[in-house]
């Protein structure tokens, strides 16, 4: 009974504990799924951004407009923006992924080809945006390989000694990945066979392979190893693992693995393999760097390198707290010999002597006030610091704690001289010695070993027209002993002429009558000079440019009004009444490419169409004329509206200069009162019947000129007497503060409220839409209205 009671008492606790663990496991699983979804979304977003870039280049529009067009096209095509984006990128790119995607489309019956273009493009975006090869392996597994049934992937880096290093993997346990981190030379694995044979190696199961390899217990099914390389040089291997047997081999699978192997090669070129194969010396250096990185004072790690009788000390590492008193970043000194970074350290009693003593004796060194010295652009800088030097095996650590603000001042001096292109000088008049910094040698086009030019010879290097100005500068400075400045053209020995401004001041020693030195600076003001010249030329051309722009604008308006008058009275074409309206942009410089047409054809049908060429100005207007005339000619062939738009797309892509456009095209049969229509990225027509209005159902069709070949869907509607159909451009409805669907709903409501009766009911209908339209984009607007009689 006691045992039973104890069991009864502990059962609720066990149940509660189990429930808590279950909830924790559920939370972890939920977070894992969210992380995977976020990674997939990031990869998809990269593909969409690439597609937006393609549309920006083709449409000559902004990113926001291109993104909206992509979403609208995806909605019209009944697909996702990601799938449409991958299709656009693959059509525009000329890489292996686009070639593979096109081949997969041609082999649509192959199950492996379903959505492969999206998968490969998402894999590329995710892999190349990662931080290491392991991230690339995870991207390949999740995006491209799991849909093929694979459960794990390994990326091997080939080393010169014929060994293999596991650069990245996904799907294997951590312990298994650590076991296979390094494969010595001579061990025949699936990856080694792929490298030796320079081609793919496939096994139906690992039992057929009979070779040691990673993941035998986790993924003992099918195995494929594909060599990866760049420019004919093999740098690694992609190994893909299945839990079951290898899927049926096909050309589609082989092409996909080749694409993924190319991504492996790119990642191996971008990131180190991370195998961690370090020697003992490297391990000691790593341990020492981790130690000094925790110090709060600036510290360097030096390595003694044998170079004959005297070792050379090379700066191997600088900790995060490192501050160079000469104002340089840590990257400018790490990797350099100590004397190359700090040549003045070779002075007696300075830093090099202390480092050599510590390395030779092993005894630590400390100096509470050592004078450190360095040069910035040839100018010596010094700083007092507490210095501590100690030896650690083959390495020496140098720690210093600066006592003043010399590093900050040095950085300010260095950057000011670099940004201002200023070179300093000092001339000792007694010793006849001239000191220049490095920048001044560059300004004069002289090597650093050349002799500086003294002031009394400055006129010899000036332009002949500027020598008088240089003479006045020298008289003020040397004879009147006052600060002076001037500008002149410096004629360098290499034939280059630079515009220079020089400023200098006298240095008095022992009184105003004693002139001992001159110090000053040269500044290269060539950019400023040529900017002033360009501005003067621009002012001279501005009036002529404005006149040309006004004439260009006048020609565009004349062309547009000649093709499309703002209004056209109603016409009767068989049993169809047609009326048109054109409203130009409110701003004259926004003359656009909107166009319309209503034309009886030899077949007895009536062509009714509206289009909009992207952009404004004379390019848009001439593109409008080209497309309108091309459609008129094509319509005479008797083809249907879908075929007409397909031909017009080819004309737009090949025969116009970077023109893209939208259009809606309809053919009306008067005998059967039927309208066949198709659209190319354009807004749907609005049909009003019996006081009720609605947009015609959407049909698929990409805008004109984006790709060289495109197919368009066609729809048919049977009209009744009294029906009105309006085709229009986006200038009628678009607003900055609302979406497209809301704008279309407003247009439908306006159509239902339009006048229904009267002798000019159709014209009144179009005028009503123009008058009460809420559009605010200042764009052109075209309308074509038809009414069945």
């Amino acid at each position: 009974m006691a045992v039973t009671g104890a069991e009864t008492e502990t059962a609720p606790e066990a149940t509660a504990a189990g429930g808590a663990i279950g909830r924790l496991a559920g939370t972890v699983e939920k977070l894992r799924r969210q992380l995977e979804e976020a990674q997939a979304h990031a990869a998809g977003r990269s593909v969409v951004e690439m597609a937006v870039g393609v549309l920006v280049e083709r449409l000559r529009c902004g990113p926001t407009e291109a993104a909206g067009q992509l979403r609208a096209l995806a909605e019209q095509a009944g697909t996702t923006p990601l799938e449409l984006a991958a299709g656009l990128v693959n059509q525009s790119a000329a890489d292996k992924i686009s070639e593979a995607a096109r081949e997969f489309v041609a082999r649509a019956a192959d199950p492996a080809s379903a959505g492969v273009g999206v998968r490969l493009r998402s894999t590329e975006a995710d892999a190349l945006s990662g931080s290491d090869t392991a991230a690339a392996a995870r991207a390949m597994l999740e995006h491209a390989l799991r849909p093929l049934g694979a459960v794990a992937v390994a990326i091997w880096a080939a080393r010169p000694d014929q060994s293999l290093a596991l650069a990245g993997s996904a799907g294997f346990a951590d312990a298994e990945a650590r076991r296979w981190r390094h494969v010595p030379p001579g061990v025949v694995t699936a990856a080694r066979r792929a490298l030796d044979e320079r081609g793919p190696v496939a096994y139906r199961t690992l039992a057929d392979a009979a070779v040691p390899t990673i993941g035998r217990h986790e993924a003992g099914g099918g195995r494929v190893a594909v060599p990866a390389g760049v420019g004919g040089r093999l740098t690694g291997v992609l190994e893909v693992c299945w839990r079951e047997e290898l899927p049926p081999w096909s050309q589609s699978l082989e092409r996909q693995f080749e694409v993924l192997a190319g991504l492996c090669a790119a990642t191996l070129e971008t990131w180190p393999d991370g195998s961690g194969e370090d020697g003992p010396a490297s391990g000691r250096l790593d341990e020492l760097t981790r130690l000094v990185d925790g110090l709060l004072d600036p510290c360097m790690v030096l390595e003694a390198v044998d170079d004959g009788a005297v070792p050379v000390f090379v700066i191997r590492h600088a900790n995060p707290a490192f501050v160079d008193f000469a104002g340089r970043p840590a990257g400018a000194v790490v990797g350099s010999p100590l004397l190359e970074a700090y040549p003045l350290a070779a002075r007696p009693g300075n830093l090099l002597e202390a480092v050599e003593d510590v390395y030779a004796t092993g005894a630590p060194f400390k100096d509470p006030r050592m004078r450190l010295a360095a040069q910035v652009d040839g100018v010596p800088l010094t700083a007092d610091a507490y210095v501590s030097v100690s030896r650690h095996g083959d390495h020496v650590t140098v720690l210093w704690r600066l006592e003043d603000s010399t590093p900050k001042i040095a950085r300010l001096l260095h950057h000011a001289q670099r940004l201002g292109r200023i070179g300093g000088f000092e001339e000792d008049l007694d010793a006849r010695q001239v000191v220049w910094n490095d920048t001044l040698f560059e300004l004069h086009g002289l090597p650093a070993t050349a002799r500086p030019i003294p002031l009394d010879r400055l006129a010899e290097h000036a332009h002949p027209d500027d020598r008088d100005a240089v003479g006045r500068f020298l008289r003020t400075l040397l004879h009147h002993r006052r600060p002076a400045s001037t500008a002149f053209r410096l004629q360098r020995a290499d034939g280059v002429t630079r515009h220079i401004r020089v400023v200098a001041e006298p240095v008095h020693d022992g009184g105003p009558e004693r002139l001992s030195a001159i110090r000053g600076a040269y500044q290269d003001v060539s950019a400023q000079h040529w900017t002033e010249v360009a501005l003067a030329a621009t002012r001279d051309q501005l009036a002529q440019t404005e006149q040309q722009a006004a004439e260009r604008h006048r020609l565009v308006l004349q062309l547009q009004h000649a093709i499309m008058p703002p209004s056209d009275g109603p016409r009767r074409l068989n049993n169809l009444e047609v009326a048109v309206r054109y409203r130009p942009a409110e701003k004259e410089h926004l003359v656009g490419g909107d166009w319309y047409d209503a034309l009886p054809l030899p077949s007895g049908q009536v062509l009714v169409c509206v289009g909009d060429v992207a952009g404004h100005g004379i390019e848009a207007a001439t593109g409008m004329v080209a497309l309108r005339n091309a459609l008129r000619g094509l319509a005479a062939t008797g083809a249907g509206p879908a075929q007409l738009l397909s031909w017009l797309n080819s004309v737009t892509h090949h025969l116009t200069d970077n023109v893209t456009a939208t259009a809606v095209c309809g053919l009306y049969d008067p005998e059967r009162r039927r309208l066949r229509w198709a659209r190319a990225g354009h807004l749907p027509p609005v049909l009003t019947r019996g006081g009720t209005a609605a947009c015609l159902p959407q049909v698929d069709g990409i805008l004109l000129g984006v790709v060289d070949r495109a197919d368009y869907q066609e729809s048919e509607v049977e009209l009744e007497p009294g029906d009105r159909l309006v085709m229009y451009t986006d200038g009628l409805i678009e607003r900055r503060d609302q979406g497209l669907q809301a704008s279309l709903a407003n247009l439908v409501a306006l159509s239902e409220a339009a006048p229904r009766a009267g002798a000019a009911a159709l014209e009144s209908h179009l005028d009503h839409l123009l008058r009460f339209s809420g559009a605010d984009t200042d764009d052109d607007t075209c309308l074509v209205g038809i009414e069945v009689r």
Side-chain angles (χ1 to χ4, degrees):
M1 295 295 294
V3 174
T4 304
E7 291 174 352
T8 304
E9 292 174 359
T10 57
E13 297 178 1
T15 302
I21 294 174
R23 289 193 299 272
L24 179 60
T27 301
V28 171
E29 178 63 21
K30 178 181 178 181
L31 293 175
R32 185 187 66 79
R33 290 196 303 269
Q34 291 176 348
L35 178 60
E36 291 176 353
E37 292 173 359
Q39 292 172 341
H41 178 70
R45 186 169 61 249
S46 299
V47 177
V48 171
E49 289 173 354
M50 286 189 285
V52 169
V54 172
L55 290 178
V56 167
E57 193 276 334
R58 289 296 303 166
L59 303 182
R60 294 292 190 268
C61 63
T64 302
E65 183 180 348
Q69 183 68 30
L70 180 66
R71 289 192 297 270
L73 291 174
E75 182 179 353
Q76 296 161 11
T79 185
T80 65
L82 176 58
E83 292 174 345
L84 182 61
L88 279 175
V89 173
N90 290 333
Q91 286 179 343
S92 302
D95 57 2
K96 290 186 177 181
I97 294 180
S98 59
E99 294 175 3
R102 285 192 287 269
E103 180 178 333
F104 293 146
V105 171
R107 301 172 177 268
D110 188 347
S113 69
V116 72
V118 177
R119 296 203 305 269
L120 290 178
R121 195 62 70 181
S122 299
T123 301
E124 178 192 45
D126 201 2
L128 298 184
S129 64
S131 58
D132 53 22
T133 312
R138 289 192 295 271
M140 294 179 192
L141 179 61
E142 294 304 323
H143 294 299
L145 297 175
R146 284 203 191 279
L148 302 178
V151 296
V153 62
I155 299 176
W156 301 95
R159 292 189 159 178
D161 62 354
Q162 302 299 310
S163 66
L164 294 174
L166 185 60
S169 64
F172 300 108
D174 292 342
E176 181 73 1
R178 286 194 297 270
R179 287 180 58 240
W180 287 89
R181 193 172 189 83
H182 175 72
V183 179
V187 178
V188 180
T189 63
R192 171 48 58 188
R193 283 198 56 191
L195 281 176
D196 294 342
E197 297 179 11
R198 303 184 70 85
V201 174
Y203 302 107
R204 186 176 60 88
T205 65
L206 280 185
D208 299 337
V211 294
T213 188
I214 185 174
R216 175 173 291 274
H217 301 292
E218 300 166 299
R223 188 67 58 101
V224 171
V226 184
V230 178
R233 178 174 58 90
L234 296 182
T235 58
V237 179
L238 169 67
E239 187 169 354
V240 185
C241 313
W242 282 262
R243 186 169 285 113
E244 306 298 336
E245 291 186 357
L246 185 70
W249 192 256
S250 66
Q251 187 174 357
S252 299
L253 276 177
E254 183 176 2
R255 179 59 63 88
Q256 185 169 354
F257 292 143
E258 290 176 357
V259 171
L260 295 176
L263 289 178
C264 288
T267 58
L268 290 173
E269 291 287 328
T270 304
W271 301 299
D273 57 39
S275 58
E277 294 295 324
D278 298 324
S282 179
R284 288 194 296 269
L285 178 60
D286 287 345
E287 182 178 354
L288 188 57
T289 56
R290 287 194 296 270
L291 174 65
V292 301
D293 283 349
L295 300 177
L296 300 180
D297 290 318
C299 185
M300 299 185 302
V301 178
L302 311 181
E303 181 182 6
V305 179
D306 290 335
D307 187 20
V310 180
V312 174
F313 294 94
V314 180
I315 304 173
R316 294 299 187 195
H317 179 70
N319 68 347
F322 178 80
V323 176
D324 177 39
F325 62 89
R328 295 168 293 187
V333 299
V334 173
S336 304
L338 179 64
L339 284 184
E340 183 178 317
Y342 301 99
L344 299 182
R347 291 177 176 176
N350 209 273
L351 188 59
L352 178 61
E353 184 177 306
V355 170
E356 290 176 338
D357 289 345
V358 169
Y359 185 75
T361 64
F365 168 86
K366 292 182 180 180
D367 188 339
R369 193 176 181 84
M370 175 178 282
R371 176 61 59 87
L372 302 177
Q375 286 187 333
V376 177
D377 289 340
V379 178
L381 294 174
T382 59
D384 293 331
Y386 166 83
V387 176
S388 174
V389 185
S390 58
R391 178 174 177 175
H392 304 269
D394 293 333
H395 300 89
V396 177
T397 60
V398 178
L399 179 149
W400 60 49
R401 186 180 303 132
L402 301 174
E403 296 186 355
D404 57 25
S405 59
T406 302
K408 183 176 181 180
I409 296 173
R411 285 194 297 271
L412 291 175
L413 172 63
H414 176 73
H415 293 307
Q417 290 179 341
R418 177 179 58 84
L419 294 174
R421 295 186 59 81
I422 298 174
F425 70 91
E426 182 170 309
E427 182 170 342
D428 189 332
L429 299 180
D430 296 332
R432 305 298 297 173
Q433 292 182 348
V434 183
V435 177
W436 281 4
N437 68 356
D438 296 342
T439 304
L440 204 50
F441 284 98
E442 295 178 5
L443 292 182
H444 282 259
L446 298 174
T449 56
R451 293 175 60 88
I453 301 172
L455 287 175
D456 56 8
R457 295 184 55 192
L458 183 60
E460 301 174 11
H461 298 271
H463 190 278
D465 295 343
D466 297 335
R467 288 174 182 171
D468 290 341
V470 173
R472 290 192 296 270
F473 163 76
L474 294 177
R475 283 194 298 273
T476 302
L477 188 64
L478 299 175
H479 296 285
H480 301 290
R481 301 180 181 180
R482 295 197 304 266
S485 64
T486 191
F488 66 98
R489 284 166 287 180
L490 175 68
Q491 293 185 320
R492 303 188 337 186
D494 56 7
V496 175
T497 299
R498 308 298 298 177
H499 292 260
I500 301 295
R501 180 173 181 79
V502 58
V503 57
E505 64 178 4
V507 178
H508 300 281
D509 183 13
E513 301 301 325
R514 170 71 173 140
L515 184 61
S516 61
I518 300 292
R519 59 190 175 202
Y522 293 85
Q523 182 179 16
D524 187 349
V525 294
S526 300
Q528 177 183 349
H529 170 78
W530 292 117
T531 299
E532 293 174 352
V533 171
L535 287 175
T538 301
R539 284 192 295 268
D540 294 339
Q541 296 176 358
L542 184 57
Q544 180 181 359
T545 302
E546 290 178 347
Q547 182 179 359
Q548 292 175 347
E551 182 66 19
R552 178 187 177 98
H553 178 72
R554 185 182 63 82
L555 291 175
V556 171
L557 285 178
Q558 288 180 348
L559 173 64
Q560 193 175 56
H561 290 164
I563 300 297
M564 294 180 305
S567 64
D568 194 359
R571 290 187 296 165
R572 192 68 174 266
L573 302 176
N574 294 316
N575 60 355
L576 200 66
E577 184 177 348
V578 181
V580 298
R581 290 291 186 273
Y582 172 71
R583 180 177 64 188
E586 294 184 9
K587 297 179 180 179
E588 292 186 351
H589 68 280
L590 294 179
V591 174
D594 290 18
W595 53 276
Y596 60 83
D597 208 351
L599 180 70
L601 300 177
S603 62
Q605 300 184 91
V606 178
L607 171 69
V608 183
C609 56
V610 165
D612 185 0
V613 175
H616 299 87
I618 194 167
E619 292 81 6
T622 54
M624 170 267 292
V625 174
L627 296 188
R628 184 173 184 263
N629 292 339
L631 185 56
R632 280 191 166 193
L634 294 171
T637 63
Q643 182 62 61
L644 291 178
L645 288 183
S646 180
W647 288 337
L648 191 62
N649 173 74
S650 298
V651 171
T652 308
H653 187 79
H654 294 289
L655 302 183
T656 58
D657 186 13
N658 295 323
V659 168
T660 56
T662 65
V664 59
C665 175
L667 289 177
Y668 175 72
D669 184 351
E671 294 183 0
R672 298 190 300 165
R673 288 194 174 93
R674 287 189 177 179
L675 177 74
R676 298 162 58 200
W677 70 284
R679 54 184 290 276
H682 202 85
L683 299 169
V686 175
L687 174 63
T688 305
R689 173 178 294 170
T692 301
C695 294
L696 293 185
Q698 295 270 28
V699 292
D700 290 340
I702 193 171
L703 70 164
L704 304 173
V706 175
V707 295
D708 56 349
R709 292 189 300 273
D711 295 326
Y712 295 88
Q713 289 186 354
E714 187 175 297
S715 182
E716 184 175 287
V717 59
E718 187 169 350
L719 301 180
E720 300 175 0
D723 284 355
R724 292 180 192 163
L725 188 77
V726 177
M727 299 178 180
Y728 53 93
T729 57
D730 54 8
L732 179 67
I733 65 169
E734 282 191 340
R735 288 187 60 85
R736 299 182 180 91
D737 58 352
Q738 67 181 20
L740 180 61
Q741 295 304 320
S743 298
L744 287 174
N746 292 340
L747 177 61
V748 169
L750 276 177
S751 299
E752 293 178 347
R756 302 193 183 99
L762 180 58
E763 289 193 275
S764 299
H765 187 111
L766 300 185
D767 292 336
H768 176 83
L769 296 182
L770 286 174
R771 184 180 304 112
F772 296 102
S773 167
D776 61 0
T777 57
D778 296 335
D779 200 359
D780 289 13
T781 302
C782 281
L783 290 89
V784 174
I786 61 175
E787 183 171 350
V788 180
R789 295 299 185 185

